[in-house]
Amino acid sequence: MRKIRTEVRYLYTISRDYRKEIVIEKSRFICSLKKVHSEAEAQEFIKAVKKEFWDATHNCSAYIVDDLAQRSSDDGEPSGTAGIPMLEVLRKNGMTETAAVVTRYFGGIKLGAGGLVRAYSGSVAGAVKEAGLAQKILLGYYSFLYDVNSVGRILNVLYQQQLFEIADVQYDLRAKVILKMRAEQKAEAEAWLTENLNQQIELEQEGTEFAEVAL
């Protein structure tokens, strides 16, 4: 379990890898979307799309892996007309771990700067909408210690509620009960445990992870 910051965060990614094509003024715009878990994976995806569409006029790209790894490329289009608008679509949707490549086959009609911005951003927005979103929810692992001779009795009580899951029980001089729940429910869980176990329970963080929930 990886320890990270514990503030409540609601991020999104695509529900599935997806590709969508639109035609604007005879130019073909093909948006390819992929879930990525690292910057290296995002860059490999971009390379793969460029190889697939090697004869395209442009293969513009944008990706967001996390707060720090966010990149875009105009790939020969006028500066600021492709990569940044694509990246802004991902940002406005609160997305993470998502890469987008928009391949353009020029149709002979110039779109102008404004037209290019609308074409590239619209291509990504349309593909994201059709791919569907999954919410990334921060889950926390929290533990408390309990008398090893009595823990079996309280486990029967814990298994009957819906607020958290029992992730593990470790036995030593005292039993360590590890619970899994949404990070923002920690205080509620402590209150529930204190009331139902008839003693003050304070949960200690063991780790966190993100889970995806389809919308």
Side-chain angles (χ1 to χ4, degrees):
M1 294 176 289
R2 181 167 59 98
K3 289 192 176 184
I4 61 174
R5 294 174 297 174
T6 58
E7 71 267 23
V8 179
R9 304 182 68 190
Y10 298 98
L11 301 173
Y12 301 87
T13 186
I14 49 175
S15 294
R16 54 183 173 139
D17 296 347
Y18 194 72
R19 176 170 286 170
K20 176 181 175 62
E21 179 176 340
I22 60 175
V23 178
I24 300 174
E25 296 290 353
K26 298 183 179 180
S27 281
R28 295 170 59 201
F29 292 87
I30 306 166
C31 181
S32 303
L33 298 175
K34 184 175 179 60
K35 288 185 181 183
V36 293
H37 300 96
S38 68
E39 196 160 12
E41 189 176 345
Q43 292 170 353
E44 283 301 315
F45 168 63
I46 294 168
K47 290 179 183 178
V49 174
K50 286 185 174 182
K51 183 176 180 180
E52 179 181 0
F53 296 109
W54 60 270
D55 58 342
T57 314
H58 305 281
N59 283 289
C60 304
S61 59
Y63 61 83
I64 297 178
V65 178
D66 53 34
D67 290 342
L68 298 178
Q70 303 185 17
R71 304 283 186 273
S72 66
S73 170
D74 293 314
D75 194 42
E77 290 283 29
S79 179
T81 62
I84 290 296
M86 292 167 60
L87 187 62
E88 283 303 308
V89 171
L90 300 181
R91 286 172 174 165
K92 287 178 180 178
N93 281 280
M95 302 190 73
T96 185
E97 295 184 350
T98 305
V101 179
V102 175
T103 300
R104 182 190 184 189
Y105 285 91
F106 181 55
I109 300 175
K110 293 184 178 181
L111 301 181
L116 288 174
V117 169
R118 289 189 293 272
Y120 281 101
S121 61
S123 182
V124 176
V128 167
K129 182 177 180 180
E130 292 186 13
L133 294 180
Q135 187 179 59
K136 295 178 70 64
I137 297 172
L138 183 64
L139 299 178
Y141 290 84
Y142 303 97
S143 68
F144 67 93
L145 299 176
Y146 205 80
D147 178 62
V148 71
N149 296 313
S150 304
V151 71
R153 173 180 57 79
I154 70 157
L155 287 177
N156 292 329
V157 176
L158 300 185
Y159 278 119
Q160 294 175 15
Q161 54 69 53
Q162 303 297 319
L163 181 59
F164 48 75
E165 299 176 19
I166 298 177
D168 192 17
V169 181
Q170 300 172 1
Y171 296 91
D172 202 336
L173 295 178
R174 302 189 72 188
K176 176 188 278 191
V177 182
I178 302 176
L179 309 176
K180 178 181 179 180
M181 69 194 77
R182 293 193 181 203
E184 70 267 28
Q185 293 179 307
K186 176 177 179 286
E188 183 181 357
E190 286 178 328
W192 188 94
L193 290 164
T194 296
E195 179 180 355
N196 287 273
L197 302 185
N198 297 313
Q199 69 178 68
Q200 184 68 36
I201 299 294
E202 295 184 0
L203 296 174
E204 180 179 347
Q205 181 180 320
E206 296 287 331
T208 56
E209 68 180 16
F210 279 107
E212 292 184 11
V213 178
L215 299 178

